[in-house]
Amino acid sequence: GENVEQHPSTLSVQEGDSAVIKCTYSDSASNYFPWYKQELGKRPQLIIDIRSNVGEKKDQRIAVTLNKTAKHFSLHITETQPEDSAVYFCAASREYSTLTFGKGTMLLVSP
Amino acid sequence: GAGVSQSPSNKVTEKGKDVELRCDPISGHTALYWYRQSLGQGLEFLIYFQGNSAPDKSGLPSDRFSAERTGGSVSTLTIQRTQQEDSAVYLCASSLGQVSSEAFFGQGTRLTVV
């Protein structure tokens, strides 16, 4: 089955800095890579996703890049704000299969 | 609009008792997922339903865990003879089931085994 590794497990940045979270996956058939944000005590919510037919996707301060050859993908957050503080999960899946999640990254943005 | 609904929100049970956790997915979503999240930990996959296909049960940690999905809609996760290590938040999610579609999570059921 799929195995997703996520790094770092914790990340502390100053407000306004950029943050990068990296994930690798093992199943070359995986073609969908979403990122979820989970605030304390709340449910995970999708913030951005990318499919295997594109290499990069941006949404305001958030971007995701995908390298299919190397089987890794990354989340980039620019101009971080305190409200970006949360746990971020990457995931991977192939068609009609479950989502396999990484272990999460706790992002702390200090004012 | 209605999202994914889980009940109960909280459940405290005695060790050795059986519990049932319910998930109402978003109407029209053919895919349904169950995950377990221990305190401060990641999302551990339990079981996945997709339409009328046989469920992917590869994540169930023991034979004390089972799940069913009736009529392609509501799902029930059953834990028999609960143990303290079963204490966690159990999260359900659903998606359209089409290739590469967003999974929407319920608010979870916090299970405490005492």
Side-chain angles (χ1 to χ4, degrees), chain A residues 61-90:
Chain A
R61 296 186 296 108
I62 294 173
V64 57
T65 59
L66 170 65
N67 183 326
K68 289 172 55 180
T69 302
K71 289 190 282 190
H72 67 69
F73 55 114
S74 300
L75 177 71
H76 304 253
I77 306 174
T78 59
E79 302 172 21
T80 53
Q81 302 168 2
E83 52 265 39
D84 294 330
S85 296
V87 178
Y88 292 80
F89 293 98
C90 63

Side-chain angles (χ1 to χ4, degrees), chain A residues 43, chain B residues 4-10 89-92 105-110:
Chain A
R43 71 191 78 187
Chain B
V4 178
S5 178
Q6 292 186 244
S7 60
S9 297
N10 287 281
V89 175
Y90 289 80
L91 288 161
C92 173
F105 281 84
Q107 82 282 9
T109 293
R110 181 176 299 277

Side-chain angles (χ1 to χ4, degrees), chain B:
Chain B
V4 178
S5 178
Q6 292 186 244
S7 60
S9 297
N10 287 281
K11 176 72 176 179
V12 179
T13 190
E14 293 182 350
K15 178 182 174 181
K17 300 286 189 182
D18 297 352
V19 294
E20 287 188 352
L21 312 180
R22 177 186 169 103
C23 173
D24 283 271
I26 294 172
S27 178
H29 281 194
T30 61
L32 188 146
Y33 319 70
W34 282 99
Y35 292 90
R36 178 168 71 176
Q37 188 171 36
S38 300
L39 186 63
Q41 300 300 308
L43 297 163
E44 177 189 3
F45 165 67
L46 296 177
I47 189 168
Y48 167 73
F49 296 90
Q50 170 55 58
N52 296 321
S53 301
D56 177 357
K57 303 180 181 180
S58 62
L60 294 178
S62 77
D63 58 8
R64 296 186 296 105
F65 288 72
S66 63
E68 63 178 22
R69 188 178 186 192
T70 54
S73 182
V74 172
S75 178
T76 302
L77 177 69
T78 301
I79 309 174
Q80 296 180 310
R81 305 181 301 282
T82 51
Q83 304 295 314
Q84 289 187 329
E85 59 263 31
D86 299 334
S87 296
V89 175
Y90 289 80
L91 288 161
C92 173
S94 71
S95 71
L96 281 171
Q98 299 168 4
V99 174
S100 310
S101 57
E102 178 180 357
F104 294 83
F105 281 84
Q107 82 282 9
T109 293
R110 181 176 299 277
L111 175 66
T112 304
V113 182
V114 298

Side-chain angles (χ1 to χ4, degrees), chain A residues 4-39:
Chain A
V4 177
E5 300 284 342
Q6 183 172 347
H7 299 280
S9 56
T10 59
L11 180 59
S12 294
V13 300
Q14 293 291 318
E15 182 177 1
D17 288 350
S18 294
V20 180
I21 303 170
K22 299 182 178 181
C23 290
T24 61
Y25 62 99
S26 62
D27 185 354
S28 58
S30 287
N31 59 4
Y32 178 59
F33 308 93
W35 287 86
Y36 282 79
K37 176 183 181 181
Q38 186 177 31
E39 297 177 348

